[in-house]
Amino acid sequence: QAQLVESGGGLVQPGGSLRLSCEAPGRTFSSYSMGWFRQAPGKERVFVAAISRSGSRTLYTDSAKGRFTISRDNAKNTVDLQMSYLRPEDTAVYYCAAGRAAISESVSTYNYWGQGTQVTVSS
């Protein structure tokens, strides 16, 4: 069973940057599509970005396009989310997810989840 561990969250000012990392130890990492989701207080968990097994395809929610970049390193079993030009509305707990299915924006297609890392954008 895949275990996912996120890191890199924290407090940042509007306009700043953060890099989230997710480590997924195990020999089968490259067989999973990977995604990042976020959940703000009182709201449902929503899609942010996803990357295919090989890294050749990526998907982004509209609010992340041009500001966030998802990448993966299958040799290191890691997937990162580089976030720039952060806004207060980006404040949320960010979750890393792994799915056996093809790259997807749907929460229901991901099989494994990390515990989440808090991102707070505030001056």
Side-chain angles (χ1 to χ4, degrees):
Q1 183 171 352
Q3 288 182 304
L4 307 177
V5 180
E6 303 99 335
S7 62
L11 173 64
V12 62
Q13 292 186 342
S17 299
L18 277 177
R19 188 177 186 89
L20 305 183
S21 292
C22 174
E23 184 176 0
R27 294 175 296 171
T28 60
F29 176 77
S30 60
S31 66
Y32 290 95
S33 298
M34 301 297 296
W36 285 96
F37 292 76
R38 67 187 182 189
Q39 188 167 17
K43 297 188 177 181
E44 64 182 15
R45 192 170 299 187
V46 296
F47 172 75
V48 176
I51 190 165
S52 62
R53 299 179 185 93
S54 67
S56 61
R57 285 189 62 206
T58 57
L59 294 174
Y60 297 93
T61 191
D62 285 347
S63 66
K65 290 177 182 176
R67 299 190 301 129
F68 295 2
T69 302
I70 188 171
S71 61
R72 69 186 296 162
D73 186 334
N74 285 345
K76 296 181 179 179
N77 289 0
T78 58
V79 58
D80 291 348
L81 184 68
Q82 176 67 47
M83 305 186 294
S84 302
Y85 305 106
L86 284 162
R87 307 164 180 167
E89 53 264 39
D90 294 318
T91 296
V93 177
Y94 283 70
Y95 296 90
C96 174
R100 300 188 197 94
I103 186 174
S104 169
E105 299 180 10
S106 175
V107 170
S108 63
T109 62
Y110 289 84
N111 306 99
Y112 305 104
W113 294 83
Q115 294 299 308
T117 185
Q118 176 70 46
V119 171
T120 302
V121 184
S122 175
S123 55

